[in-house]
Amino acid sequence: MSEKSPRVGIIMGSKSDWPVMEAAKKTLDEFGVASEVRILSAHRTPEAASDYATSARQRGLAAIVAGAGVAAHLAGVVAAQTTLPVIGVPLASGPLVGMDALLATVQMPGGIPVATVGIGRADNAALLALRILAGNDAALEQRLGDHRQAMAERVAAADRGLQEELENLPSGP
């Protein structure tokens, strides 16, 4: 059920970001949504980042997930150059362990929105991108609903297991 042409772009500032950003790729793959992955730097390769952003829609992308740490300008730089939804993933790096990236990603100036997920939550960024795509895709919407139901069933099963354990505990002294 996998699409061939990428619908979601996954970008990051450096290769060291891949262990976190890989969760976005895996999540999209689980839902059969094709993605492309690139390393682009807002500071070290600004022309490449600009080219990527300005050509994204023409290449068939519907959303971009951008991970960056410390100053975390990548999501904002890309959002300034496309009308596609951009979802920022602040990465835990540097002396502030991601708080600087979180604040830099979430505090975009008026007119340049960047949706922002929690520090290191590339999986949630992918799920948000899938929700955006599901607005025009009933089958994807159904898969997201099934995913949510499966999560609820796992929680209910864990609760039943805990209740059984509690019932089998020896009572009082």
Side-chain angles (χ1 to χ4, degrees), residues 1 30-31 127 131 138-154:
M1 180 182 335
E30 288 173 17
F31 282 87
L127 287 167
R131 287 180 174 201
L140 180 55
E141 181 180 13
Q142 180 63 49
R143 292 193 305 273
L144 283 166
D146 293 346
H147 177 262
R148 180 176 288 182
Q149 182 62 36
M151 287 190 306
E153 290 170 4
R154 286 192 299 273

Side-chain angles (χ1 to χ4, degrees), residues 9-11 36 38 40 48-56 59 61 64:
I10 301 169
I11 59 176
E36 61 183 28
R38 297 283 309 275
L40 300 165
S50 177
D51 291 345
Y52 185 86
T54 58
S55 67
R59 292 181 294 102
L61 297 184
I64 298 171

Side-chain angles (χ1 to χ4, degrees), residues 81-102:
Q81 298 180 70
T82 184
T83 57
L84 292 176
V86 175
I87 304 161
V89 180
L91 300 174
S93 62
L96 300 180
V97 198
M99 285 303 295
D100 47 355
L102 174 64

Side-chain angles (χ1 to χ4, degrees), residues 5 26 30-31 33 65 71 99 111-112 128-129 149 173:
S5 63
K26 287 180 178 179
E30 288 173 17
F31 282 87
V33 173
V65 173
M99 285 303 295
I112 310 297
L128 181 54
Q149 182 62 36

Side-chain angles (χ1 to χ4, degrees), residues 149-169:
Q149 182 62 36
M151 287 190 306
E153 290 170 4
R154 286 192 299 273
V155 170
D159 181 53
R160 284 191 302 275
L162 176 61
Q163 297 311 311
E164 288 175 16
E165 286 179 38
L166 292 173
E167 288 174 9
N168 293 325
L169 285 177

Side-chain angles (χ1 to χ4, degrees), residues 3 5 20-21 24 41 46 48 58 68 72-73 78-79 82 84 93-94 103 106 112 128 133 136-137 139 141 151 173:
E3 301 171 354
S5 63
V20 173
M21 297 305 292
S41 172
Q58 296 161 332
H73 291 138
V78 168
T82 184
L84 292 176
S93 62
L103 294 173
V106 78
I112 310 297
L128 181 54
L133 294 174
N136 294 319
D137 184 334
E141 181 180 13
M151 287 190 306

